[in-house]
Each structure stands twice: as C-alpha cells, then as structure tokens.
Amino acid sequence: MTIFSDRQRGFQQQADADQQRYNQLAIWRLLWFGLSVATVWLLLANKQTSWALISGFVALVVFARMMSWHRAIRRHRDINRHLVAINKDEQQRLNRHFVRPETGLSFAPNDHAYAHDLDVFGKHSLFRLLNRTHTHDGAVRLAQYLLQPAQPHIVFLRQQAVAALTLHINWRQDIEATAMLNEQIGLSTAGLRTWATSTTYLPAWINVARFILPVLTLGLLVSWGLGYVPGFAVLLALALHGAVLSPLQATTKQVSEQTHDIAQSLSDFADLFRFVERAPGESILLADLRNQLQSGRATASESIHQLAQLTENFNFRRNPYFYLFIGLPSLWDAHYLIALNRWRAQHGPALADWFAALAETEALNSLAGFAAAHPEYTQPDLLEDTTVHIAAQQVVHPLIPPGRAIANTLSFEGGGKTILITGSNMSGKSTFLRTIALNTVLAQAGAVVAAQRFVCSPVQIYTSMRTQDSLEENTSSFYAELKRLRTLIQLTQNDNREVAEGTVYHSLPILYFLDEILKGTNSADRHKGAEALIRQLHRTSASGFVSTHDLELGQLGETVDFVQNYHFQSDILAGKVTFDYQLRAGICQRFNASELMKAIGIEL
C-alpha cells in the first residue's frame, strides 16, 4: 500500500520543518537572553533601577513564553517523528517484518489450548501483526482478545467499532503517536489503581495544623530576621513541624511509591483519555467507551490531568533540598495527602474503569489498523450455532506475506467430524491447519480474516502440533503429545467451559487441530491409536482436523461418513520436488520422502 509510504514522507517533511523552527527559536532564545542581560546591566550601571526592574520582568515574561513555544514545537516535532515511525512500521508489517520489539510471550499461559502451536505470540506471531497498543493494559487486553473466544454478540460489537475506526487513519495514528511521547506509558498502572481503591486515615487535626503552623513559623522567621526572637525559636518551630509529619511518614512513603513511577506519564495519559472521549464513529461499543470516561461534571481526561498535577507536586518531596527548605516549613506532605485523599474519594472508584476503557480502545485500534492495512481481507460471519461450522473461501495464512500466501477453500459443519489431511513432507499440511485455526482466532476476536469469505460458529480451539520432550518433567515428545490428547478428551467430556473473560458461556464445541498425529511411535500403534481417537471424538460434539502420513488411516474415510479425506501433493520435475500448496479432495498418492533423502546424499 502506498498510503503508508506517502504518509511517511509527508510526516518526515513536517518533522524536518519543525526541527528547523526548533533550532531557529533556540538561537532567538539565546539572543534574547543575552540582550536582556545586557539591557538590565546597562540600566543598572546608569542608575536606572526602576527601568532595570521593569526590563528584567518583561525579559522574564518573554523568555518564559519563548520556552513555552519551544516545548510546543518540540512536542509537534516528536509527534511527527513518531508518525514517521508508525507508518514505517505499517509498511514493514505488510511484508510480515516486525519492527516493534514486543512479542507478547509473557501473556501466554504455558498450558494454553492453542497459543503456542499457532504462533499467537512470539517473534513471528499474530500478536506482533496486530499490536498497535502502547499501554500495558492495552497490550493485556489485546492478548485476551486472542486467548479467549468472545461471545457472538461481543464479536458483533467489536466488528462495528473496528469498521468505524478503520475509516479514521489520522485519529488512529495520532493516539499511537501521543502514547509514544512517554516511554513510561507502557508501565503497569496496578500501583496507581491499588492506591485509588485503598483508604488513608488522616487525623482531623492535621487539616487545621497544616495552615496554622506554617503561618506561625513564618512569623517567627520574620521576627528572627528583625531581631525580635532568637534563632532557636525558629528551629523549635521546624522541629514541631517534623513531629506533626512523623505519624504520616509511613502513609507518605507508601503513596509516593504507588504514584511516583506513573506520575510522570499521567499528563500523557490525560491526552490519551481525551482521544477516547473524542473517538470517531457511532458504534455502540465506542459510544459506551466514551460514556465510561465521564465522572460527574468532569471528564476522565480533566480528572487525570488534575491528578497528574497533584502527584507531580506531591513527589517534589523526594528532592531532599526541596523537602528541607520548602516541604518541611510548609507541611507539604499534609497538604497534598489531603488533596490526594479528596481526589481519590471523588474519582478513585472510576479509575479502574477509565484505564479499562483506554485498554479496550487500544485493542480495538489494533484490530482497526490491521483491517485498514488489509482492505482485501473480509469481516467474518460468526453464527450463533451449537455445532461446529466452518466455511472458508480463498483463505490464506495471515502471517505469510499476502503476495506469497496460497489460498484454499474448505467448508464443513456438524459435530463428531474429522477432516483428515494426508500429504508429502513440506506440502502444506501444517500450514493449512494453522491457516484455518488462526483465522478462527481472528474471527472470534472481532478482527477481519485473511479470506474472501469466512463463516464460523463459536468454538473452543484446541491444538496438538508442537509437542516437545521435557528434561525437567522427564517426558518424551510422544508422552507430551499423549498429555495434550488426554486434555482434549477431557475437554470434550466437559459440559461447562469458562470462556469469554471468565464468564461461563454455553458449552462450546471443540474445534481441534492435530498435526502428524501420534508421530512418536511405530506405524502399527500410530494407526491403531489414531483411528481409535477419531472414533472416540466422533461420539462427541467436537470436530476438527488431523494431518498424517498414514495412508492406511485415510482408508477410514472410505468406510465411514464422519471422516473426509483431503490432501496436499508434490510433483517431481527434472529431479526437483515442487509444491503448489493446493488442497485437493481424497487421499494423497504422491510422496517425496525418497526424493528428499536422495537430495541430501542418502543412496537408496
């Protein structure tokens, strides 16, 4: 797509222009500073004290304004630089090259039903293809989309929101660029959310003492300066301040630890909340997210901006010089603990919901960015069916660059059915299983899918494809596969499975994907065990795919109606093995193992 390269060039030009303005203003600031100092010095040298004070005041006001302009230009420049990076990243993703380092591996449970087999997370994964989140909560939310099948009505709401956001590339990329201004945006907000829902007891007398004591101490300080009281009176007053703050030390330390790391990014969070409050589109889900960011008369962005100022000012106390000369005399801790308590009482209960709304928006934005980058992909139809239903027309593997991916078509419906796929080595069996499975994951997350048409019913995907031995658990790869198959059997016998964000949905039928089934044992036992498993699964609501080299197993499809045979094949042309990766009906009749062995030097 040329849109990303065009936008990259456009934003680079704007960033270069901003840098030029930034450099020019830096020179003007330096000149203004020098001119101001010289002017004030000349006026003072000529005993024009009043004019010197006026000139100095004007110089400071103008210099402060120039600093504000400088910061605004720098922010605009950085936004444009991030937009350059975003569009470069989008361009690279089209070729399935991933620039961003996040792999999402930390989100995948070790025993997940399909995440590890399907490359949902990892260096070359679905998460990296989709991920346009920048907050920690947003990344977690996107991972949940990919790990848990959503209910059909939730999928429909997400699809609506994705379709609405897809049309607004400026909004989508601007919220990303704003999030990239501060690396601390990616920190966990758990500490802040814990503080917001906890309670801090402050003695009632503190609210009175925080005003009276600093005034009295200031009076003593002035009196000492005029020679009316000795210096130790001021020291005694400051000691009294320390005694007043002493009972608050534990609370002060805890609040500071809970808010310090995230405090520096709260202003940027406020900007992100403002984006969500103005999210374009009239979908039900987006409207609900916008409404979720209202807190009485104030919006979430306004309230978070207020919290940003409070936490930033409160944490000035961490500077020992500030604490000694300002914090202690003014009872700074008491003032800001009370102010933070007041904020928490008013907005604390809503804070978790605000961050949840932002996380949801980022996850939806990820799906929208994926849809916008692939206009050739389609929005799937999710049926509210109680049996397995898959209809994939011209479906391709989403992690293979679109120009290289080979499309195939397949459909089946009903419980207890097995699609048995035979084929030679490297002919495309495993890739096809992942193609169907990954597109089903996308469909149930609310994303577009890599197909001309895709229909599926709500299913729980289960895979056994990359079983490995484990020295730690003292298990062979064959036994590891048996453990996966045992879990599959248990799932088919379980009438209630927890899905969709922890809620118990109706009993989802299993859609299984078993690659090179029972490959770790001898051919006789493999055939016997595989046939027994397929027959056992036929007696359940589960349906799925089994790939195998066992041609004898393919004969099962000739005798029963619940097994359908398909295959991939290879051809030998001029001594070379070639593949077309096209799915065909029936059992494979051509194999290439002997040719491949000859190619590496084994004399047959």
Side-chain angles (χ1 to χ4, degrees), residues 107-138:
F107 301 129
N110 291 330
D111 57 350
H112 192 263
Y114 56 81
H116 297 282
D117 285 341
L118 299 183
D119 298 311
V120 174
F121 305 101
K123 290 183 178 180
H124 193 79
S125 63
L126 198 60
F127 181 82
R128 294 192 84 183
L129 178 62
L130 296 178
N131 184 32
R132 289 157 177 87
T133 69
H134 294 274
T135 69
H136 176 266
D137 294 346

Side-chain angles (χ1 to χ4, degrees), residues 200-248:
T200 301
Y201 170 75
L202 297 175
W205 57 265
I206 288 288
N207 198 34
V208 178
R210 68 188 178 112
F211 294 110
I212 294 176
L213 286 180
V215 172
L216 293 176
T217 302
L218 179 61
L220 287 173
L221 183 63
V222 172
S223 299
W224 170 70
L226 296 175
Y228 294 124
V229 296
F232 77 86
V234 178
L235 295 178
L236 286 175
L238 291 176
L240 180 59
H241 284 221
V244 168
L245 293 177
S246 180
L248 306 180

Side-chain angles (χ1 to χ4, degrees), residues 283-335:
S283 81
I284 296 172
L285 184 52
L286 291 176
D288 191 40
L289 292 173
R290 290 192 293 262
N291 293 334
Q292 199 169 323
L293 297 183
Q294 295 293 323
S295 179
R297 295 181 180 179
T299 61
S301 60
E302 293 168 344
S303 302
I304 290 294
H305 183 70
Q306 180 188 14
L307 180 61
Q309 293 179 320
L310 290 174
T311 53
E312 182 180 7
N313 292 345
F314 172 66
N315 283 290
F316 285 163
R317 66 177 307 280
R318 298 170 75 97
N319 185 306
Y321 298 106
F322 177 89
Y323 186 79
L324 180 62
F325 294 107
I326 298 178
L328 183 61
S330 67
L331 294 179
W332 189 268
D333 292 350
H335 287 288

